[in-house]
Amino acid sequence: MTQYIKVTEGKYFGEPGVTLSVTDLQVKVTPATVTEGQKVTLTCSTTCTLRDNPNPTYIWYKNGHVTNQSNSLFLNPVSSEDAGRYSCAVEGHEVLHSPEETLTVRYGPKNTSVSVSPSGEIVEGSSVTLTCSSDANPPVQSYTWYKKNGGGYQRMTGPQHVFNQIQSSDTGEYYCEVQNEMGTDRSTTINMDVKYGPKNTSVSVSPSGEIVEGSSVTLTCSSDANPPVDEYTWYKKNVTSPKASGKSYSITNISSEDSGEYYCEAENKIASSNSTALMINVAGDSEEEVM
C-alpha cells in the first residue's frame, strides 16, 4: 500500500513511488525504406482507446502544415517531393500531435545542369570552371564530363572541371553525366566559345610568280581570330605611315619603286597581331624577279 505524504498544499508524493506510463500517437511508414515510384503508406496509431471516439479520423501534417484528413495516408506513387517530416493528430484534438516521423525518399539523379564561372565572355588564357549540379538521394557518387568533338568525346571526371589557362582549342559543347546507386542522368549541353586575338597572321600575293613592272598585284592578309578581325592595316618596311587598310591591298601599274617588304596588322577587340614581312621584287623589262 502506498502511503501519501503531503509536502506542500495541494501536492502529494507517494512512498515508495508511482510509475505512470503513457502511450502516445505514433506515425509508422511502410515500407521502412522508400524508393521513388513505390506505394507508401503512413499509418497513425495509438494503444489508447478514445472513449468519446473509438474510430477516430486523423489529421495529417507535413512539415507542420495540414496536408490530409484520413485514417491512413497513401502516397502512390511516392515522389521526391513527398519527402519531409510527418505527424498526425486525432480530429478534434489537433493540439496533441504525434512525434514527427521523417519520410526519406531515395531517387536517381534529376535536374542535372552545367554552369560556367565566371559568367560572361571567355577569353583565351583565363581561368574557367565548369560545375555539374544534380538533385539526387543518395547524393551523386560519380561525375563524368564529355566534350563533343566531331564524332567522338573526351572524358573528364569530377564535379568540377577547371581550365587554368583556357585555349581556343577548348571551344566546344560540354555536358556531364552523373550517377548514384539509383540511376544515372545527363545534363543538356553548354557551349563554350573561347574568344582570342588574331593568330597565324600571314600575307599572300596574287598573281603568284614573277612581278613585272606595269602589272597589277594584290596582297591579301589572313588571320585566325574570334571574334573575326575587324581591322586590317598594311605597312611597308622603312615607311613610317601605313600604306592602306582592308583585308586586301592592290597595287596597280606597279613600278620598281614599289619593291620592298610588306606586312599587315590584324586586330579585333581582344588583341592585334602582325604578319611576317613578304618581299616584293618588281622586275623591269629585262630583269628577272626574285621572290
Side-chain angles (χ1 to χ4, degrees):
M1 179 176 180
T2 301
Q3 180 182 1
Y4 292 95
I5 303 172
K6 186 175 182 181
V7 179
T8 58
E9 185 174 355
K11 297 182 180 179
Y12 293 84
F13 291 92
E15 290 183 352
V18 177
T19 300
L20 178 63
S21 177
V22 178
T23 302
D24 207 349
L25 292 171
Q26 298 289 330
V27 173
K28 181 180 180 182
V29 179
T30 307
T33 301
V34 179
T35 300
E36 189 171 46
Q38 285 184 315
K39 175 182 177 181
V40 176
T41 303
L42 281 73
T43 305
C44 191
S45 62
T46 179
T47 57
C48 296
T49 300
L50 302 176
R51 294 179 181 177
D52 60 338
N53 189 5
N55 296 304
T57 297
Y58 296 100
I59 308 297
W60 287 94
Y61 300 84
K62 178 184 177 184
N63 300 328
H65 301 286
V66 174
T67 185
N68 207 334
Q69 181 176 326
S70 61
N71 292 337
S72 296
L73 187 59
F74 300 98
L75 304 174
N76 185 25
V78 70
S79 72
S80 57
E81 289 76 17
D82 292 318
R85 305 182 316 276
Y86 287 83
S87 63
C88 61
V90 175
E91 186 179 23
H93 302 274
E94 286 85 351
V95 294
L96 302 174
H97 281 223
S98 72
E100 290 186 319
E101 180 73 17
T102 299
L103 174 64
T104 301
V105 181
R106 293 156 51 88
Y107 53 95
K110 59 176 73 175
N111 305 321
T112 306
S113 63
V114 175
S115 60
V116 182
S117 178
S119 58
E121 187 173 76
I122 300 172
V123 179
E124 189 172 48
S126 62
S127 178
V128 176
T129 301
L130 298 181
T131 301
C132 184
S133 302
S134 187
D135 176 24
N137 187 27
V140 170
Q141 296 161 324
S142 68
Y143 298 81
T144 305
W145 287 94
Y146 295 90
K147 177 189 175 184
K148 286 188 175 180
N149 184 16
Y153 301 87
Q154 292 179 354
R155 297 182 55 153
M156 300 164 284
T157 58
Q160 291 187 325
H161 182 66
V162 179
F163 300 86
N164 291 316
Q165 288 189 319
I166 198 164
Q167 301 299 309
S168 58
S169 57
D170 294 317
T171 291
E173 292 182 297
Y174 292 80
Y175 68 90
C176 66
E177 185 176 88
V178 295
Q179 182 177 14
N180 69 0
E181 62 190 72
M182 308 302 297
T184 62
D185 190 36
R186 58 162 287 182
S187 70
T188 56
T189 57
I190 187 169
N191 184 56
M192 284 226 301
D193 185 20
V194 181
K195 308 293 186 181
Y196 54 95
K199 56 179 71 174
N200 305 320
T201 306
S202 62
V203 174
S204 60
V205 60
S206 178
S208 59
E210 183 179 71
I211 300 174
V212 178
E213 200 167 26
S215 63
S216 295
V217 171
T218 299
L219 303 179
T220 301
C221 186
S222 300
S223 187
D224 175 26
N226 184 22
V229 172
D230 51 27
E231 185 174 354
Y232 296 89
T233 307
W234 289 94
Y235 297 91
K236 181 181 180 182
K237 277 194 174 182
N238 302 320
V239 176
T240 305
S241 59
K243 297 293 290 181
S245 61
K247 184 176 177 62
S248 297
Y249 170 41
S250 295
I251 307 173
T252 57
N253 196 23
I254 198 167
S255 68
S256 58
E257 294 178 354
D258 295 315
S259 294
E261 292 182 283
Y262 292 81
Y263 67 93
C264 68
E265 180 186 61
E267 184 177 4
N268 66 4
K269 67 177 182 178
I270 306 297
S272 63
S273 172
N274 290 344
S275 70
T276 55
L278 176 68
M279 184 67 191
I280 297 295
N281 289 319
V282 181
D285 293 340
S286 60
E287 292 180 334
E288 183 176 344
E289 181 217 5
V290 179
M291 291 297 294

